[in-house]
Amino acid sequence: MIDMPFSGLVQENGTWVGKGYAFYLLKLLSTKLNFTYTIVPPKEHVLSRRNGILSLLYENKVDMAVAFVPILPELRKLCTFSTALDQSELTALMKRPQDSATGTGLLAPFDQTVWLLVLAAVLSVGPIIFIFTKVRSKLWHDPNSERYTLPSCMWFVYSSLLKQGTTMIATTDSTRLLFATWWIFILILTSFYTANLTACLTKPQMTLPISSLEDIVQKNYQWVAYKGRTLNFLLSNHTSEDLNILNSKPLNGHYISTYEYPVKNILNAVNKNKLFIGEAHYLQSLIFEDYINKTRKHVEHQKRCTYVIMSKTILLTARAFAFPVNSTLVKPINKELMALVEAGIIKREKLKDLPLAPICPLDLRSSERQLRFSDLSLTFRVVLVGYAIATAVFLVEILARWTINLCKRRKGTTRWSVRSLCCTWKTRSKTRSKKNVTPRPNHVMINRLLDKRGANPQKISPLSLYQNAPHGLVQGKKHCINGRDYYVVFDRYGDQRLIPIRTPSAFLFQYTT
């Protein structure tokens, strides 16, 4: 069965010659047990009872299947297995994504659960502070107690989150404890966020978008696999509960029937953002071969690692040689195979085809990295959303103001009598204000005041002045306002006047224009 690099067939001079790890073990067994063999290829290189390798075993047409056949309970009715040679790790090959699945922007330091908890804390702390202060003010009946509004409490929480100041002052112990608890929470949260954000932006850890079969189904990935091999056999027989989840979307699965040179078909499918599900060691061989070919073509180093393998395993199965049921060759061959497996022959053959260093690992370990737009895209989105919301609120305010003015105008038009009355009152008030202008003083009074040259101006009593003053000004009371003495007098219209004392011009104050 062609399943390189584990087993393969090549025709040389009309004779089939075996290749791969399986036929290397067969050569060692033939040397130790001193037997010869003839290769009989199956009609189809699949696990099938009709034309595949199992049909040859079931019909006793061959003595042994030299291939890494998966040890499945469904196959024990058709054949007998030898000692387990290795374990097959079924995983997925995909095109390397440009960005990590967890993101490399402002949300990368925390996962979704942490962000939801932070949002819940921000939305709940403000109402909690408001409820505490509200209940306390009602129970204590203290008018001087803390009386915060709900918007002010929410603004305090938001400003503390951004390490900004606040005008709220806690005067009770319970409120102080609430404030201190929130500040400690913000201090720890921002410290971890700053440290993780620095690490994510400078050297992010690559995370693939899929890590299990559930991710493949939920994210609606299309996948490709070999026809007639382990995955196709288990899905067609519905024997594996772990793999039956792929049957929920059968249209997403496709199979490749080319086994001799399948690399081109596999890579073409992966380049179209499809997944290739196969054995992990075989996928590593594909990536290494592709890397060598791109190196020989002098492709840039950053573009050589185009593909990546999913870190987790989809299915783990043991593999071995297969014999017909009740075969007499099982015991002697198992004895020698056990010695070869324990000696590490198979592991050595696997490692011989691969380099010692990891091939295109998930983390390429780049020492220098410039920030891209995708790293800071959320920052620009926040700014644009903030400006958009502010503009929308501003337009709503303008519309509300225009609506209020329009309603006032319509009410004024319907109620013309009220409007005319208001206009009449405004006209009368303006006329009255013009009449309230204090007239110029009498020349006789000014001359009398100036003739008193020997008297101290500060000791001159203004009583005679206002008694003889025109327009009916009367004696006022003395008041101290802002550290200065004033006389409070009334004019004929009943309006109060303040006249400063101790200045020569105080007596003429009300007559200045």
Side-chain angles (χ1 to χ4, degrees), residues 77-270:
K77 300 178 182 179
L78 305 176
C79 61
T80 302
F81 294 100
S82 66
T83 301
L85 302 177
D86 70 344
Q87 283 190 334
S88 173
E89 298 179 2
L90 204 64
T91 184
L93 176 70
M94 63 181 300
K95 189 176 181 180
R96 180 181 293 275
Q98 296 294 331
D99 299 323
S100 176
T102 56
T104 56
L106 299 180
L107 301 179
F110 299 148
D111 60 1
Q112 184 178 3
T113 304
V114 176
W115 283 118
L116 292 177
L117 292 176
V118 171
L119 179 62
V122 171
L123 296 178
S124 61
V125 172
I128 289 174
I129 296 175
F130 173 73
I131 292 173
F132 264 74
T133 55
K134 195 72 173 179
V135 172
R136 187 190 306 107
S137 62
K138 289 187 177 181
L139 293 178
W140 270 256
H141 301 287
D142 186 5
N144 297 324
S145 63
E146 302 163 337
R147 293 186 178 181
Y148 305 138
T149 60
L150 182 59
S152 63
C153 293
M154 297 298 295
W155 188 254
F156 161 75
V157 173
Y158 177 73
S159 60
S160 300
L161 183 63
L162 300 181
K163 295 185 178 181
Q164 301 298 319
T166 179
T167 57
M168 296 176 61
I169 301 176
T171 58
T172 59
D173 294 336
S174 59
T175 308
R176 290 172 182 172
L177 288 175
L178 288 175
F179 283 16
T181 303
W182 178 246
W183 286 334
I184 292 174
F185 172 77
I186 292 302
L187 177 63
I188 298 174
L189 182 70
T190 53
S191 299
F192 278 102
Y193 177 79
T194 304
N196 289 343
L197 181 62
T198 304
C200 291
L201 292 180
T202 54
K203 191 176 181 181
Q205 180 67 33
M206 177 63 68
T207 304
L208 296 179
I210 58 171
S211 60
S212 61
L213 289 175
E214 289 75 11
D215 294 337
I216 297 176
V217 176
Q218 292 176 1
K219 297 181 181 180
N220 202 23
Y221 271 92
Q222 293 187 353
W223 52 272
V224 179
Y226 276 131
K227 183 179 180 180
R229 298 299 169 85
T230 305
L231 182 63
N232 184 211
F233 179 82
L234 294 176
L235 291 178
S236 59
N237 292 296
H238 302 277
T239 55
S240 177
E241 296 181 358
D242 297 334
L243 297 177
N244 282 337
I245 189 174
L246 294 177
N247 287 326
S248 60
K249 294 184 178 180
L251 297 179
N252 291 343
H254 305 277
Y255 295 99
I256 297 176
S257 58
T258 303
Y259 305 103
E260 295 183 0
Y261 301 100
V263 178
K264 185 177 181 180
N265 295 333
I266 294 173
L267 297 184
N268 288 338
V270 174

